[in-house]
């Protein structure tokens, strides 16, 4: 595939914030949430991924998350993930990553993730005692808090949850301090995360979209690259001249 766009040259010292969505993991075999084969086309989040479902049927909710963990362990990071890790090594301090994804795929590729906007499926937490140690296996080490016996829930932001304000503040600062924001594989349809795109625009950050399809905010971008992440990232952000 030829690269249709204008490259971002980091040799000049520019800082880029990569704003990552589920599409970044698609080429690893991880289903996205929307579109063909999307998770919310197969499951009703009201049954498996919200606090009310967890309060009503915690075992069903944890089963769903264990199935997703097992599926993720059968997937591997792709060349696009590896490229981001290589960019961070080549341009220290210039490439930040803010992700909506909970799948840990970026971290498995050695990428330093500055903000997990929606948490991580690889952590569990107790309502009273906070995060509990949980090894990154498919099966949960335990489903109950060792201190109080409460059901543990995945440390992810479900629909109807409050987001982690400190994480969002950190992401906002990173975006405001960047010359570029590259949105990779997101429909830009879920707030408050999607709000980072118009925010970046208002802050004078230059926007580029990598997505084979149009998103809810494609018209905000100065450049849209209708290619998959693994192809577009190395072309848009080459390792060096
Ligand atoms: N490369 C880049 N983008 C891709 C690829 C690919 N190979 N394959 C698919 N995409 C794009 C799709 O075109 C789509 O626009 O990835 C996007 C995935 O969109 P969603 O499934 O809506 O994922 P996302 O935008 O991350 O969802 C946001 O919604 O359900 C909540 O909390 C969940 O974090 C998630 C949030």
């Amino acid at each position: 595939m030829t690269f249709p766009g204008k490259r971002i040259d980091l040799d000049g010292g520019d800082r880029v914030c990569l704003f990552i969505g589920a599409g970044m993991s698609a080429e690893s075999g991880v289903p996205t949430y929307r579109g063909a084969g999307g998770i919310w086309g197969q499951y009703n989040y009201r049954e498996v991924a919200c606090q009310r479902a967890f309060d009503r049927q915690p075992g069903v909710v944890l089963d769903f998350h264990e199935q997703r963990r097992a599926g993720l362990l059968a997937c591997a990071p792709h060349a696009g993930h590896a490229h981001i890790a290589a960019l961070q090594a080549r341009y220290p301090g210039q490439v930040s990553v803010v992700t909506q994804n909970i799948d840990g795929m970026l971290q498995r590729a050695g990428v330093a993730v500055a903000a997990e906007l929606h948490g991580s499926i690889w952590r569990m937490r107790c309502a009273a005692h906070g995060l509990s140690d949980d090894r990154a296996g498919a099966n949960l080490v335990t489903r109950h808090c060792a201190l109080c016996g409460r059901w543990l829930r995945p440390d992810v932001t479900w629909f109807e949850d409050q987001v982690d304000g400190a994480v969002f503040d950190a992401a906002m600062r990173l975006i405001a301090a960047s010359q570029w924001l590259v949105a990779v594989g997101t429909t830009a349809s879920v707030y408050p995360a999607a709000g980072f795109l118009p925010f970046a625009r208002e802050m004078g950050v230059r926007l580029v979209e990598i997505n084979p399809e149009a998103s809810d905010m494609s018209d905000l971008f100065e450049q849209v690259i209708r290619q998959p992440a693994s192809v577009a990232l190395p072309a848009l952000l080459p390792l060096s001249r």
Side-chain angles (χ1 to χ4, degrees):
M1 258 186 234
T2 54
F3 181 62
K6 184 176 173 304
R7 300 182 191 291
I8 295 178
D9 176 6
L10 294 178
D11 288 326
D14 274 5
R15 286 184 301 279
V16 60
C17 182
L18 300 177
F19 179 70
I20 304 290
M24 180 72 206
S25 301
E27 290 162 89
S28 293
V30 181
T32 57
Y33 292 99
R34 298 165 186 84
I39 290 172
W40 303 138
Q42 299 170 53
Y43 295 92
N44 178 352
Y45 80 84
R46 291 179 184 80
E47 296 297 318
V48 292
C50 70
Q51 187 67 43
R52 283 184 288 181
F54 181 71
D55 295 341
R56 189 173 66 247
Q57 46 186 21
V60 170
V61 169
L62 294 185
D63 289 347
F64 169 73
H65 286 81
E66 277 195 354
Q67 284 159 18
R68 288 205 60 201
R69 284 166 66 135
L72 290 168
L73 290 177
C75 300
H78 57 70
H81 293 107
H83 188 73
I84 296 174
L87 282 172
Q88 288 186 327
R90 171 73 182 72
Y91 298 104
Q94 290 180 248
V95 183
S96 60
V97 174
V98 166
T99 186
Q100 301 172 87
N101 298 347
I102 62 171
D103 61 24
M105 207 55 75
L106 288 156
Q107 292 89 334
R108 282 172 59 187
V111 172
V113 174
E116 290 179 309
L117 298 173
H118 297 154
S120 171
I121 201 168
W122 301 109
R123 293 190 298 268
M124 299 294 284
R125 72 169 188 258
C126 165
H129 296 97
L131 288 181
S132 81
D133 173 32
D134 186 67
R135 293 149 199 71
N139 298 322
L140 302 177
V141 173
T142 173
R143 293 189 167 200
H144 296 275
C145 175
L147 299 175
C148 67
R150 282 185 178 84
W151 284 93
L152 293 174
R153 59 156 284 177
D155 186 36
V156 300
T157 303
W158 283 326
F159 289 103
E160 302 157 20
D161 278 352
Q162 289 295 316
V163 294
D164 183 326
V167 171
F168 270 68
D169 288 348
M172 191 175 278
R173 284 194 297 274
L174 273 173
I175 291 168
S178 302
Q179 282 71 42
W180 298 89
L181 180 149
V182 179
V184 186
T186 183
T187 46
S189 58
V190 173
Y191 289 80
F196 281 145
L197 297 176
F199 164 76
R201 178 82 179 252
E202 283 156 31
M203 298 299 287
V205 180
R206 301 178 66 179
L207 298 179
V208 181
E209 180 175 66
I210 292 176
N211 192 329
E213 296 170 22
S215 69
D216 288 8
M217 295 197 189
S218 290
D219 59 346
L220 281 184
F221 293 86
E222 75 173 63
Q223 190 179 185
V224 294
I225 302 166
R226 293 284 174 255
Q227 291 181 340
S230 69
V231 171
L233 276 166
L236 174 69
L237 286 154
L239 273 170
S240 61
R241 273 196 277 263

